[in-house]
Amino acid sequence: MRRPLFWLLVVTFSLKAAVLAQFDSHPLLQPAGDMDSGVYARLAADVANGDLLLRGPGSVPFFVSPLYIYFLAAVHALSHGSLLAAKVVQIALGTAAVGLVWGMTRRLFDDRAALVAGVLYALAGFVTFHEVLILQAALDPFLTALCLYLLAVGLTSGSFSSKVNGEEPTVAGGARRETARLGRWLATGAAFGLLALNRPNALLCAAGIAIALLALAAGRLAARRRDEGPLSLPFKENPPRTLRWAAAFLSGAAAIVAIPLARNLIVSGEPVLISSHGGLNFLVGNGPGANGVYRWLDGVTPSVLGQAADAKRIAEAETGRTLTARAVSAFFARRAFAWIAAEPGQAARLFAKKVWFVLSNDEMPLNFSTVWYRRDSLLLGLLAVGPWLLVPLGGAGLVLALLGAGKLPGRDAAVWASFALAYTASVAAFFVATRYRLPLAAPLAAGAGGAISTLIASIRAREKRLPAVVACVALPLLALTLLPTGIDDGSSEEETQWVLHLIGAGDASRATPRLEALAKTHPSPGLLWFRAGQAWAAAGRFDGAIAALERSLAIDPGQAETLKVLSAALERRGMERAVAGDLASALPDLEEGARLDPKNASVRLNLAAILAEKGDRARARALASEALALRPGYDKAEALLEALR
C-alpha cells in the first residue's frame, strides 16, 4: 500500500497547491482590519518581532486561540514575514493529514478502507479551502488527524491486553512495552492539548475520551471479575495499569494546556486556561434571539478587537465595577445559563437544532462563504466531497466499528468514535460555523472508508446484514444532511464585498452589471444600494453614488443615514461643478443636499457662498447663520457673515 499512498499524497498536495495558487492573491482573502485573519497576522508579527508573550498594552489574557499566532510567528521569522510561506506549510500539513487519515483507517478497518478514506478526505474541498486562508481553522485538519491517528495507535497496540501476541511477556519485555504504551498515551494527550490550543472546545473531547477509556477499562474489569473471580491476578494488576494509561493521556493534554495558562498568569495575573472569549461565544449561541449560528449581540462590534473591548465595557457598565477578563467571560456565561434555566425546553430544542446544523450540508458562513468561492472556481467545484457524503457514510462506518466489523472490538472502537460525538456536542454547545466543523471531517472520512470497504466485501460474500446496517444508518443521516436549514450561505454578502471592491478599484464596467444582478436576489436590496453608494462616494464617483443612494431611498424611504450620505454626495458633486465654473449645475445639487439633511452645516455654507457670488446676499446671510447655529464656532461661516456685512 505504500505506492498508492505515495501517489495519493502527491496528487493531494498538487490539488491543494493549485487551489492556493488561485486564491493566494484574492483581494477578499487578504488579512486586514479587525477580523480574525487580520488580528492573527498582526499578533504573529508582534511575536516574530520579539514580543514573545504578547504583553502589549493592557497586559490581558489571550482573547483568541493562541496556537495559530505562534505558528504564524514561527513561519514569519523563518520566511521574513511571508504569508505565502505560511500557506504552503498549511497545505503541506493538510497533505500530511490525508496520510494520517489513511493510517488511522488502516488500523481501524483494512487497506481498502484506508485508501478510500484518504481519497475522500483529499477531495473534501471545504477542508482545502480553509487550509489556504490565514485563519486558525487552517491547522484544524492536521491537528485533528494527528490526534485521531495517535488514538488509533494507542487502541490497536495491545494497551488493554495482559498478553502480547498471545504470549505472556517477560518482566523486562513487559516493562519496556508498558513504558512504550505510556509514551503513546502521553503523546496522544499532548496532541489533543495542541488541538485545544487552536480549538478550545476540543478540551471537552479530551475529557470525553478519558471518560470513555475509563468506562472501557471498567467494563473489561467487570468481565474479568465474572470470569476469573475477584482475587485473580489480572484483575488485581489491571486497575493501576489502566489508570496510568488514562492518567498519561490527561497528563499530556494538561502539559500543553498549561503553557497558555502560564503565559496568562505571567502577563495578567489571571488563571485563564486558554483564552477568555468562551463566555461571550456561549451567549452568542444560547439566549434570547439565538438561532444556532453567529449573531450580533447588542452593543458588541462583530470583530475580534470589537468583541474584546465591547464585552468588557458592557459587563463593567452593568455590574458597576472593574472586571477581570475571567469575570467578563463569566458575566456573559451567566446570562446564557440563566436563559437555559428559565427556558429549558427552548434551550433543548435549540441544542438539537445546532446538532442538525453541525451535520448539515448547508454552508454556515463566518467571515468567508465557501459557496461563493466555489462558484468561481472549477477546481473547488471538482473537490466536491462534503457533509452530504461524509456524514451518512461516515456515520454508518462508525456504527459498523461499534458492532465489531473493523479490527477493533466494539468497546475499543467506541473510545475512538467518542471523539465525533463529543466534538459535535462541543460545537452545538456554542454556535455552528463551517470552519468549526472541520475537525469532524477526519473521523467521518475514516468511517466512510470503512463503510464502503465493508459494503464491497459484503456484496462479494453475498452477506446482507452489514449492508442493511449501512442503509439503516446512512439513509436517515443523508436525509438529515440534505434537509434545507434556511440559513443564509453568505454568498450574497461575499458578492457584495466583491462588488464594493470593484467599485473601490474603479472598475465600474465589472461592478455595475454584478451590482444590478445582485440587487435582484439580495435579501436587503435597499441596504445593498446604500453600501454601493457609500463605496462610489469614497471612490470619488459621485454620479454613481447619488444614483445608488436614490435607488436605496426608493426601496427604503426616509432612512436617516441614507439621506445624510446622499446629502454629502450631492454637496461634493456640487462643489466639484462650482470649482469647474458650472454654477448653474452646482446650485441644484447644493439645494437638494441642504434639503435632505437639515443638520448639514457645510452644505449650507457652500450654498451660501455660491448664492453670495451670484448676488443673493440676503439668502446667503440666512444660510451662513444656519450653518453657524448648527456648528458653533464654525470659522468659515463667521468669515462669510463678516464679509456679507
Side-chain angles (χ1 to χ4, degrees):
M1 289 295 291
R2 290 183 178 179
R3 182 172 294 179
L5 175 60
F6 171 77
W7 287 113
L8 173 62
L9 296 181
V10 169
V11 172
T12 297
F13 185 81
S14 300
L15 289 172
K16 293 180 183 295
V19 174
L20 174 57
Q22 181 176 6
F23 290 112
D24 174 55
S25 59
H26 196 290
L28 300 188
L29 298 179
Q30 303 310 304
D34 293 340
M35 303 306 288
D36 297 41
S37 296
V39 171
Y40 273 110
R42 288 199 299 275
L43 292 175
D46 290 343
V47 171
N49 290 330
D51 187 7
L52 297 181
L53 294 182
L54 285 176
R55 294 180 179 274
S59 298
V60 295
F62 288 125
F63 187 76
V64 295
S65 307
L67 180 63
Y68 192 63
I69 298 172
Y70 290 91
F71 164 80
L72 275 185
V75 180
H76 187 289
L78 295 173
S79 64
H80 304 288
S82 171
L83 292 178
L84 176 60
K87 296 173 186 178
V88 171
V89 174
Q90 288 170 186
I91 64 170
L93 292 175
T95 303
V98 172
L100 292 169
V101 168
W102 180 90
M104 72 177 74
T105 311
R106 188 166 182 259
R107 285 180 170 270
L108 296 172
F109 292 99
D110 53 33
D111 288 346
R112 179 171 53 205
L115 184 58
V116 172
V119 170
L120 291 177
Y121 197 64
L123 295 177
F126 72 104
V127 174
T128 295
F129 174 72
H130 285 88
E131 289 171 344
V132 303
L133 304 179
I134 298 299
L135 201 64
Q136 78 271 32
L139 297 185
D140 285 342
F142 170 75
L143 293 172
T144 306
L146 178 64
C147 289
L148 294 177
Y149 173 76
L150 292 175
L151 184 59
V153 170
L155 291 169
T156 56
S157 298
S159 296
F160 293 95
S161 174
S162 62
K163 295 183 179 182
V164 179
N165 296 326
E167 298 179 358
E168 292 287 352
T170 63
V171 173
R176 286 195 299 271
R177 291 187 178 94
E178 179 63 17
T179 301
R181 291 167 186 163
L182 285 173
R184 282 192 290 267
W185 285 108
L186 189 70
T188 305
F192 273 90
L194 286 173
L195 178 59
L197 264 57
N198 202 56
R199 191 63 63 200
N201 56 311
L203 280 178
L204 300 177
C205 300
I209 288 170
I211 293 170
L213 283 170
L214 295 177
L216 174 59
R220 289 184 176 274
L221 292 174
R224 290 192 176 188
R225 181 189 291 271
R226 290 193 302 268
D227 297 340
E228 303 176 19
L231 299 179
S232 65
L233 184 61
F235 176 74
K236 289 188 293 182
E237 288 184 348
N238 252 325
R241 292 174 61 198
T242 304
L243 289 175
R244 285 200 299 272
W245 298 328
F249 173 79
L250 290 174
S251 297
I256 298 299
V257 173
I259 297 172
L261 173 62
R263 178 269 175 194
N264 290 334
L265 276 171
I266 292 170
V267 169
S268 69
E270 295 186 54
V272 174
L273 195 59
I274 296 177
S275 56
S276 63
H277 65 297
L280 182 65
N281 281 351
F282 191 56
L283 181 60
V284 169
N286 302 275
N291 61 357
V293 295
Y294 182 78
R295 63 184 175 121
W296 291 14
L297 295 178
D298 288 342
V300 178
T301 305
S303 68
V304 173
L305 298 183
Q307 287 177 341
D310 293 340
K312 181 175 177 63
R313 174 182 54 78
I314 291 171
E316 290 181 344
E318 293 202 17
T319 58
R321 64 179 188 276
T322 302
L323 297 177
T324 63
R326 289 183 67 204
V328 171
S329 182
F331 169 84
F332 289 100
R334 283 194 300 271
R335 278 187 171 183
F337 281 120
W339 176 80
I340 292 171
E343 302 287 349
Q346 187 176 348
R349 289 191 295 273
L350 177 61
F351 181 80
K353 180 181 180 181
K354 288 188 283 187
V355 170
W356 169 34
F357 285 179
V358 173
L359 304 178
S360 174
N361 192 57
D362 286 355
E363 170 81 355
M364 311 285 168
L366 187 62
N367 299 149
F368 306 107
S369 170
T370 310
V371 171
W372 186 82
Y373 291 97
R374 187 184 297 122
R375 290 174 184 170
D376 288 339
S377 171
L378 176 62
L379 183 55
L380 271 186
L382 293 175
L383 300 178
V385 171
W388 65 272
L389 181 62
L390 295 178
V391 170
L393 287 180
L398 295 180
V399 170
L400 289 175
L402 296 178
L403 295 176
K407 291 182 178 179
L408 283 176
R411 288 179 298 181
D412 295 48
V415 176
W416 193 87
S418 65
F419 173 86
L421 295 176
Y423 190 79
T424 298
S426 72
V427 174
F430 294 88
F431 61 90
V432 185
T434 294
R435 74 189 202 208
Y436 296 164
R437 300 187 296 184
L438 295 186
L440 281 175
L444 291 177
I452 293 174
S453 180
T454 301
L455 280 175
I456 293 173
S458 298
I459 291 171
R460 288 177 176 175
R462 297 185 179 181
E463 196 273 332
K464 299 180 180 179
R465 185 179 68 89
L466 293 181
V469 171
V470 172
C472 289
V473 176
L475 291 178
L477 284 177
L478 178 62
L480 181 68
T481 302
L482 296 181
L483 184 66
T485 61
I487 296 295
D488 181 12
D489 64 13
S491 56
S492 291
E493 176 59 24
E494 207 77 44
E495 177 70 5
T496 301
Q497 292 294 338
W498 181 241
V499 168
L500 298 181
H501 165 75
L502 293 175
I503 291 173
D507 194 346
S509 61
R510 295 170 63 196
T512 301
R514 296 189 77 140
L515 179 59
E516 293 284 356
L518 178 60
K520 297 175 182 177
T521 59
H522 197 279
S524 302
L527 178 60
L528 171 66
W529 285 112
F530 170 72
R531 295 173 68 183
Q534 284 185 310
W536 286 119
R541 302 291 294 272
F542 300 114
D543 289 343
I546 292 166
L549 293 166
E550 287 175 344
R551 293 183 72 166
S552 176
L553 286 172
I555 298 170
D556 298 323
Q559 293 293 321
E561 188 64 22
T562 309
L563 292 170
K564 180 179 178 181
V565 176
L566 178 55
S567 172
L570 286 164
E571 177 188 1
R572 293 181 65 184
R573 187 175 73 175
M575 291 309 298
E576 281 188 350
R577 291 175 172 178
V579 170
D582 187 3
L583 298 184
S585 297
L587 275 175
D589 280 350
L590 295 173
E591 293 277 11
E592 182 66 4
R595 184 187 70 81
L596 290 174
D597 187 2
K599 296 182 179 180
N600 188 335
S602 64
V603 71
R604 279 163 172 72
L605 181 62
N606 287 323
L607 178 57
I610 292 177
L611 289 172
E613 188 174 341
K614 291 179 67 68
D616 192 348
R617 299 173 62 85
R619 190 163 178 235
R621 189 180 296 109
L623 286 167
S625 299
E626 290 179 18
L628 187 59
L630 288 169
R631 190 189 300 177
Y634 195 178
D635 54 350
K636 291 183 179 180
E638 291 175 345
L640 180 58
L641 284 171
E642 180 64 27
L644 289 172
R645 293 192 187 98

